[in-house]
Amino acid sequence: MSNASTNTSKKTDEVAIQLNGVHKWYGQFHVLKDINLNVQRGERIVICGPSGSGKSTLIRCINRLEEHQQGDIIVDNIELTGNLKNIDAIRREVGMCFQHFNLFPHLSVLENCTLAPIWVRKMPKKEAEEIAMHYLERVKIPDQASKFPGQLSGGQQQRVAIARSLCMNPRIMLFDEPTSALDPEMIAEVLDTMIELAETGMTMLCVTHEMGFARKVADRVIFMDGGEIIEQNEPEEFFNNPQSERTQKFLSQILAH
Amino acid sequence: MSVTEQQYAPGEHPDLPPPLGEAGLIAWFKKRLFSSVGNTILTLVAVFFLYHVLSAIIFWTLTGATFTGETKADCDLGGACWLVIGDRFHQFMYGLYPTDQYWRPNLTFILMVVAIVPVLFDNIPHRGKFLLFSAIFPFIAFYLLSGGWGLETVDTDEWGGLLLTLVLGVTGIVASLPIGIVLALGRRSNMPIVRTLCVCFIEFIRGVPLITILFMASNMLPLFLPEGVNFDKLLRALIGVALFSSAYMAEVIRGGLQAIPKGQYEGADAMGLSYWQSMRLIILPQALRIVIPGIVNTFIGLYKDTTLVSIIGLFDLIGIGLVAVADVKWRGLAPETYAFIALLFFISCFAMSRYSLWLENKLHTGHKR
Ligand SMILES: Nc1ncnc2c1ncn2[C@@H]1O[C@H](COP(=O)(O)OP(=O)(O)OP(=O)(O)O)[C@@H](O)[C@H]1O
Ligand SMILES: [Mg+2]
């Protein structure tokens, strides 16, 4: 991938996600320490950092797969509290892709994609199927619609997972290492899909170690370590001129390969 | 290995059909049964034993058995005396149900088949309408069997034989699955009160023998009920059987729930499905499929355990069998009686186990576990 950023930012002034002084503990273990983060609508953010630094925990707090114990998380102007209504409202607007896809193995690809629109959005089945086919075409696997997830390659499964999230027409997409369980050839096909998605102006938060992807589409790269945001910057600045020692060390490690 | 291995240039290898299985019955026999001296000896010994056992069984049940005659004295061929079954056939089927009302259990049985088929098979046309019928069938069956509203009333004391066994078995099976699911979900719930209740119920029921539950239901329950309130003995037995098997069912299903990876719950949550939606659409279909063998195992166990009701004075198949064996006219014919009862049970249980195999194959969608 080229070094020059092909990035045409779709960032707006509207705030999509706001985290103010967020703390989280697993038992005695302090995973997230005073996280402050504002994400603008249309902004693409890449989060990186060493293993165990709390990246997954952070983005999983945004759709309440994990509960934070202190601070405020406001997504799409809805405050994330114990209120189930708010949680449901946020989950409807926030799509998520996982490292291990988490497709539903007992449902066909098409059924995976239509499930949430039908049951959560109360969409008629036919309409949901049309939308599902539209997104399956966008991720370039419409011909696999009637297969089951277990019959697809990893890259295809992850693209189905992306299509499945998009079928809910989310305003924000979260990705947790979407390519780290894949072979290089499949990584490329999933990244291509994500780049295309980024170009539509979707607000994206992406945990990944694909630095080429970060350079190409990110508006901002965030580096986490030990549960804190150590450094954040535009990709060019971040990679060429890292400020903190820990960032330098991390970058030298992953770019060494 | 293969005779002619044709060579292809790299990248030019065409798609070939898979190799044929080794052809011929003789080759099969040779390979499976007579591949070495040891195997040949084993095969011959096995055949020898099979021959003796099978010929004895065939003699007793068929060739040496008596099928026609009036009394036990007619049975002089040395094999089984099936006359006792013929003589008491109606009791084996209906118990003491009034003879002129036999059409009612018969009709109920036919309707039951109509009601069960759409539940078991999803590829029949107009399944939705048939399922509606399945849903109201229990009420129709109750009306047909017990009467009232224009039909002669038949007390449940008079129900018996296969009829009673089926009523107990089918009701137990139909009730235990949903109750078991609710108990299993409750036991995994985050709400402490719900969880505690479910755990207590399951552990209590599993900790005592079915027979004590039946005794309690039939003897002790009336003591706790207010004077004059007296509900049916069969109903009490039914509740006992259903509760007993639902506790087992709950644990089988919990095993399935635990086998579902956390990612499935998270996938469902992240898409905004509610708790009940994700259970119904995502988790339970997968969990239940994993534990089909366990569920059917419980069903079969429950179906056979219904025979214990003969101890609290209900005349199910075993109850009728005990009466038949005690009959002076047919003294000493216990083997025939029990063999017949065993056959009836075997047919139902074998059908259940074949169905479960078929279902497992059908639901296999290519994902590995
Ligand atoms: N359920 C849990 N209970 C206790 N500790 C946990 C739990 N989940 C994660 N942790 C711990 O929290 C820390 C952060 O985990 P997290 O999964 O967010 O890391 P990560 O940055 O995503 O790492 P990776 O790059 O390996 O995915 C880790 O030290 C982990 O051991
Ligand atoms: Mg992680």
Side-chain angles (χ1 to χ4, degrees), chain B residues 168-230:
Chain B
L168 283 164
V170 173
T171 319
I173 285 173
V174 170
S176 66
L177 190 58
I179 301 177
I181 290 174
V182 171
L183 285 172
L185 292 178
R187 191 167 183 168
R188 286 169 58 87
S189 160
N190 293 327
M191 291 176 274
I193 296 182
V194 174
R195 192 173 53 232
T196 314
L197 279 177
C198 291
V199 171
C200 289
F201 178 86
I202 293 171
E203 295 305 338
F204 172 72
I205 299 272
R206 282 204 309 172
V208 297
L210 174 58
I211 197 81
T212 57
I213 293 182
L214 289 175
F215 269 128
M216 280 195 277
S218 74
N219 299 326
M220 281 167 62
L221 204 58
L223 301 180
F224 298 125
L225 291 174
E227 197 82 35
V229 178
N230 180 28

Side-chain angles (χ1 to χ4, degrees), chain A residues 29-169:
Chain A
F29 179 58
H30 201 167
V31 228
L32 294 182
K33 299 169 187 160
D34 192 25
I35 303 286
N36 292 290
L37 177 66
N38 272 341
V39 182
Q40 310 301 124
R41 190 163 295 295
E43 196 175 8
R44 281 91 58 149
I45 292 185
V46 163
I47 303 173
C48 60
S51 182
S53 55
K55 308 177 299 286
S56 299
T57 310
L58 173 63
I59 71 164
R60 289 157 59 86
C61 279
I62 293 173
N63 66 351
R64 244 310 149 121
L65 289 182
E66 302 288 354
E67 200 175 325
H68 63 286
Q69 282 120 355
Q70 244 180 55
D72 309 316
I73 300 180
I74 299 163
V75 183
D76 223 23
N77 294 324
I78 306 169
E79 175 155 14
L80 197 53
T81 56
N83 188 333
L84 287 178
K85 262 216 185 102
N86 287 3
I87 296 174
D88 283 344
I90 287 173
R91 284 177 177 168
R92 276 199 292 274
E93 304 307 328
V94 179
M96 180 155 186
C97 289
F98 301 85
Q99 180 174 8
H100 296 289
F101 331 133
N102 296 356
L103 293 174
F104 305 130
H106 63 302
L107 300 175
S108 72
V109 165
L110 189 65
E111 286 165 337
N112 263 281
C113 293
T114 56
L115 188 87
I118 290 175
W119 292 94
V120 180
R121 292 244 191 261
K122 312 287 178 213
M123 200 182 276
K125 188 169 173 218
K126 198 141 171 283
E127 194 185 333
E129 281 177 355
E130 277 164 21
I131 291 177
M133 285 314 292
H134 168 77
Y135 284 112
L136 286 173
E137 265 158 40
R138 233 172 85 183
V139 301
K140 304 195 176 62
I141 35 176
D143 45 330
Q144 313 283 3
S146 59
K147 285 200 186 167
F148 287 94
Q151 298 165 328
L152 303 184
S153 75
Q156 289 171 328
Q157 291 192 42
Q158 192 59 289
R159 283 184 286 155
V160 170
I162 294 174
R164 178 176 78 173
S165 299
L166 293 180
C167 284
M168 280 295 277
N169 199 12

